[in-house]
Amino acid sequence: MPKWLKDAVFYEIYPQSFYDTNGDGIGDFDGIIEKLDYIRGLGCNALWINPCFDSPFKDGGYDVRNYKKTAPRYGSNSDLYRLFGEAHKRGIHVLLDLVPGHTSEEHAWFLESKKAEKSEYSNRYIWTNNCFRAPKKYPYIGGETERDGVYLLNFFKCQPALNYGFLNCEEDWQLPVDHPDCVATREAMKDVIRFWLDHGCDGFRVDMADSLVKNDDEKKSGTCAIWRNIREMLDEEYPEAAFVSEWNNPERSLNAAGFHMDFYLNWSGNGYSTLLRDYESGEDNSFFKKDGKGDITRFLDEYLPRYTATKGKGYYCLLTCNHDTIRPKYNLDDRELKLVYAFFFTMPGVPFLYYGDEIGMRYLKVPTKEGGYFRTGSRTPMQWNAQKNAGFSDCPEDTLYLPTDPSADAPNVAAQEADENSLLNTVKALLWLRHGEEDLQADADFEVIYAKSGRLPFIYRRGNILIALNPSGEIVSAPVEAGERKLLFAIGGGKTDADRITLEPQSCLVLKLQLS
């Protein structure tokens, strides 16, 4: 396990939208470098940068055309290497986004694979052996190549699936996972990993990490075996490199596949969604909604078994949002968000903060861009100040990658830095508190102290620190042996007696046991 993860706090950057230094309306590597001091001052000591490799951008860069070349819109490979170096000077680690399951249809491997003549790339992708032979249960494209066959897709039409083999072969065109050509695909991906780690990258967030082997079993045995092989390589050659999976199944990703981290993703109706995005029915029953009917046990019933099953194996990580999710400001105001962040940043695992969430950027209803569809509204430019284009770019407004928030009260960094009670300064206080208290970091003990269905407050312990939360508009209390405790952080107010904690409406108390 990389030692630095214990005290890591990640900041996710969608590079198109972070900061533009050359006036073309698109963010770039130099823009990230210019804002590294802001990121470090915020309390984030690690970055996850969404795909920045050469791409036709039919899916926001998740259609990679060349794994070893950066997209010119962001800068050159040398610019990215410099970003690694400048980040390291500030104590910031950098993860890139690895897309191992598919490439762009314009990738050099695919251009060779689709030819009629046999080559080392013929089986780099998954093909049937006849142009009129369609796979029974997989999306595919046919009739576009000279090769006599159709090829499987992973997502959009532009993303042919790489061939890691089939755990259970059912047709003669399917290759087993130990076929030399399938092993070659795995080794090619390890080569990509080594390339970027050798140039200063500190690891990867892995896109669709569970999707490599086709016709896999329920336990994803074939896919897990590939990741264990890659983990063995990392442990031997790059022991401080970190991998986080887009999986949302820590028993698989951490225990079986060997990832260091997994995300607790927002899936419709799951435990995470009940915290802040439980509004699909038309009535908002999110736990952190002041007037909602949220219930923390809906989260805990799912979270606790997963946490217990994986403790000591890796980190199950909470995130404020990401590039695929509607921003939390969509339904929560700043006071509600402060309580959300107080929870996220005091929980076990490694927290991930999506750019702009620290100021409460809104989800914007905008037309799709580069395959974003509904997700596009969470990918708009970072709002740095109240000047032209929210300080994101000096370009003409009509050449922006995406529009900025047109509202007169659009949140921005400059205004919130000047307001000691702002959401931004609350985030800073929480993150620096986490860095200063070992009991709030990734692997400190976690125990639920008070959590009742339909009742508040919610109280939990991290080591010798007690966190009490009341997202409602009512005064609430609970019997707790608080002992002698020092107040470390508060939103709102409350009081502690020897055997009870009382919280004012929409409050949070972080209390540290005074040891004799």
Side-chain angles (χ1 to χ4, degrees):
M1 177 66 66
K3 299 181 184 67
W4 59 271
L5 288 178
K6 176 180 177 179
D7 186 33
V9 177
F10 277 89
Y11 191 77
E12 181 191 348
I13 291 177
Y14 196 67
Q16 292 93 318
S17 298
F18 194 58
Y19 189 56
D20 170 27
T21 61
N22 62 7
D24 66 354
I26 298 177
D28 44 53
F29 295 136
D30 283 345
I32 297 174
I33 291 171
E34 281 198 28
K35 298 298 184 180
L36 286 173
D37 288 334
Y38 164 79
I39 294 165
R40 193 67 186 92
L42 185 61
C44 294
N45 56 7
L47 295 178
W48 158 27
I49 301 174
N50 290 125
C52 53
F53 308 123
D54 180 43
S55 170
F57 288 97
K58 295 179 180 179
D59 184 21
Y62 284 91
D63 49 326
V64 177
R65 184 163 51 198
N66 187 335
Y67 284 109
K68 295 183 179 180
K69 178 184 177 184
T70 59
R73 60 165 58 172
Y74 306 131
S76 65
N77 278 31
S78 295
D79 293 327
L80 183 52
Y81 306 155
R82 185 165 60 89
L83 192 163
F84 296 151
E86 291 297 323
H88 293 162
K89 288 178 185 177
R90 294 163 173 82
I92 298 173
H93 291 83
V94 183
L95 302 192
L96 297 181
D97 216 323
L98 183 69
V99 188
H102 53 260
T103 70
S104 164
E105 61 192 345
E106 298 180 20
H107 195 290
W109 296 344
F110 188 72
L111 297 181
E112 291 299 314
S113 187
K114 71 180 186 178
K115 291 180 179 178
E117 312 86 59
K118 293 289 186 180
S119 74
E120 64 176 297
Y121 300 106
S122 293
N123 288 326
R124 183 59 52 88
Y125 300 83
I126 306 172
W127 296 82
T128 68
N129 53 15
N130 185 280
C131 65
F132 297 110
R133 190 171 184 182
K136 295 177 181 177
K137 54 185 178 181
Y138 299 99
Y140 68 94
I141 293 291
E144 291 195 356
T145 72
E146 64 185 49
R147 179 170 176 166
D148 186 14
V150 305
Y151 59 90
L152 272 60
L153 301 173
N154 260 3
F155 197 45
F156 290 157
K157 177 262 178 190
C158 61
Q159 293 163 320
L162 286 165
N163 192 1
Y164 294 89
F166 288 71
L167 185 66
N168 298 295
C169 297
E170 297 175 341
E171 300 192 55
D172 54 7
W173 51 267
Q174 298 174 355
L175 302 181
V177 292
D178 59 353
H179 188 282
D181 290 349
C182 300
V183 173
T185 303
R186 182 196 70 196
E187 293 304 308
M189 201 54 56
K190 287 163 73 172
D191 178 60
V192 170
I193 291 167
R194 289 188 178 100
F195 176 86
W196 288 108
L197 294 177
D198 287 343
H199 281 98
C201 172
D202 298 296
F204 295 88
R205 174 268 189 182
V206 180
D207 181 66
M208 296 177 64
D210 67 338
S211 68
L212 302 188
V213 172
K214 303 304 182 187
N215 210 19
D216 212 343
D217 59 20
E218 185 179 353
K219 294 182 179 181
K220 297 284 183 176
S221 301
T223 297
C224 286
I226 291 172
W227 289 119
R228 285 198 305 273
N229 178 272
I230 292 173
R231 173 66 184 267
E232 289 172 4
M233 179 268 286
L234 292 175
D235 287 348
E236 180 178 349
E237 301 177 29
Y238 308 93
E240 286 299 297
F243 270 48
V244 56
S245 62
E246 184 192 28
W247 200 312
N248 194 21
N249 190 329
E251 293 95 333
R252 300 277 185 273
S253 60
L254 305 181
N255 294 359
F259 279 91
H260 303 105
M261 299 173 281
D262 189 14
F263 291 119
Y264 196 172
L265 297 171
N266 185 83
W267 289 356
S268 180
N270 76 344
Y272 180 99
S273 73
T274 69
L275 296 173
L276 63 159
R277 294 188 179 87
D278 189 11
Y279 45 69
E280 290 187 354
S281 68
E283 182 180 35
D284 196 336
N285 290 316
S286 304
F287 177 70
F288 285 99
K289 190 69 178 172
K290 176 185 175 183
D291 300 319
K293 300 174 183 176
D295 187 333
I296 194 62
T297 62
R298 295 190 297 158
F299 166 79
L300 293 173
D301 287 348
E302 183 173 78
Y303 175 80
L304 284 174
R306 293 177 173 182
Y307 169 77
T308 302
T310 59
K311 187 178 180 183
K313 302 288 188 179
Y315 300 126
Y316 195 28
C317 303
L318 293 169
L319 65 168
T320 64
C321 183
N322 67 17
H323 59 288
D324 288 334
T325 310
I326 293 176
R327 285 192 182 270
K329 189 61 178 287
Y330 177 78
N331 64 313
L332 301 179
D333 62 26
D334 281 4
R335 182 56 173 257
E336 292 163 335
L337 286 176
K338 287 179 181 181
L339 295 173
V340 170
Y341 298 160
F343 173 65
F344 283 172
F345 299 147
T346 57
M347 282 288 283
V350 181
F352 282 71
L353 173 63
Y354 187 50
Y355 84 97
D357 279 353
E358 71 272 24
I359 58 172
M361 278 179 56
R362 298 182 176 98
Y363 174 80
L364 302 184
K365 294 184 178 180
V366 294
T368 183
K369 179 80 171 185
E370 296 181 345
Y373 297 98
F374 80 91
R375 305 170 297 177
T376 306
S378 293
R379 302 176 178 184
T380 55
M382 180 66 177
Q383 293 155 200
W384 296 103
N385 54 48
Q387 299 173 19
K388 178 183 178 182
N389 298 327
F392 164 73
S393 174
D394 287 333
C395 73
E397 184 177 346
D398 61 359
T399 62
L400 281 171
Y401 173 74
L402 284 170
T404 57
D405 187 342
S407 306
D409 63 346
N412 68 76
V413 170
Q416 292 199 17
E417 284 182 331
D419 177 2
E420 64 180 9
N421 296 314
S422 68
L423 182 61
L424 174 62
N425 281 319
T426 298
V427 169
K428 287 183 180 181
L430 283 163
L431 294 184
W432 285 108
L433 176 65
R434 184 183 177 98
H435 292 309
E437 297 289 342
E438 192 169 355
D439 281 348
L440 291 179
Q441 293 172 10
D443 56 357
D445 287 343
F446 170 73
E447 179 187 3
V448 174
I449 302 300
Y450 186 89
K452 304 291 185 183
S453 180
R455 296 183 63 182
L456 289 168
F458 171 43
I459 303 174
Y460 55 99
R461 179 184 64 82
R462 300 293 314 285
N464 285 317
I465 294 177
L466 205 66
I467 300 96
L469 286 162
N470 175 24
S472 79
E474 307 294 330
I475 296 175
V476 298
S477 67
V480 176
E481 292 185 12
E484 289 293 323
R485 293 184 184 267
K486 174 185 177 182
L487 180 64
L488 297 179
F489 174 86
I491 297 170
K495 63 178 183 178
T496 60
D497 300 318
D499 59 356
R500 182 165 290 272
I501 290 181
T502 301
L503 291 172
E504 294 177 2
Q506 290 190 287
S507 294
C508 170
L509 298 181
V510 180
L511 304 159
K512 185 175 184 179
L513 180 66
Q514 297 292 87
L515 299 175
S516 58

